Amino acid sequence: MSALPNCPQCQSAFTYEDGLLYVCPECAHEWPQAAPAAAEEESKVWRDANGNELKDGDSVTVIKDLKIKGSSSVVKVGTKVKNIRLIDGDHDIDCKIDGIGAMQLKSEFVKKA
Ligand SMILES: [Zn+2]
């Protein structure tokens, strides 16, 4: 619902929108429309070991041998990982590694390829 706010000056409920302003027809008060309720959250930035910004779809290189939990496999240093997906969490990169499958990495252990 996009109910219009009451006039902050006289509490009139008959405000209307005029461009980027709200206008009160009763006291002629005009004021800027507030930012949308669903204001953009401060966007999180993922950075690799060198501080470069990472984006969905980037390719990265693993910079240290990483043991895979629950298996004897190791992601070797230098492994190239294509098409990463950034996620929230302790391990903040979701990806698929050739020969290993889907797994999650920490951005601090990769660098942008
Ligand atoms: Zn008013």
Side-chain angles (χ1 to χ4, degrees), residues 38-51:
E40 262 182 71
E41 285 176 49
E42 207 172 308
S43 54
K44 178 174 173 177
V45 176
W46 282 257
R47 294 191 187 281
D48 70 4
N50 296 330

Side-chain angles (χ1 to χ4, degrees), residues 7-12 15 24-29 31:
C7 171
Q9 203 146 286
C10 70
Q11 303 307 318
S12 164
T15 51
C24 171
E26 295 190 36
C27 71
H29 182 54
W31 70 103

Side-chain angles (χ1 to χ4, degrees), residues 16-68:
Y16 60 91
E17 288 177 281
D18 182 16
L20 295 173
L21 297 173
Y22 288 125
V23 181
C24 171
E26 295 190 36
C27 71
H29 182 54
E30 293 181 1
W31 70 103
Q33 293 184 21
E40 262 182 71
E41 285 176 49
E42 207 172 308
S43 54
K44 178 174 173 177
V45 176
W46 282 257
R47 294 191 187 281
D48 70 4
N50 296 330
N52 293 316
E53 198 177 330
L54 296 169
K55 295 212 166 64
D56 280 348
D58 273 353
S59 294
V60 297
T61 305
V62 175
I63 59 163
K64 107 190 235 293
D65 285 352
L66 300 171
K67 277 211 183 108
I68 299 170

Side-chain angles (χ1 to χ4, degrees), residues 81-96:
V81 184
K82 280 186 228 162
N83 198 18
I84 60 169
R85 200 165 65 84
L86 300 165
I87 56 174
D88 274 318
D90 179 34
H91 289 66
D92 48 10
I93 295 175
D94 201 24
C95 62
K96 214 166 171 183

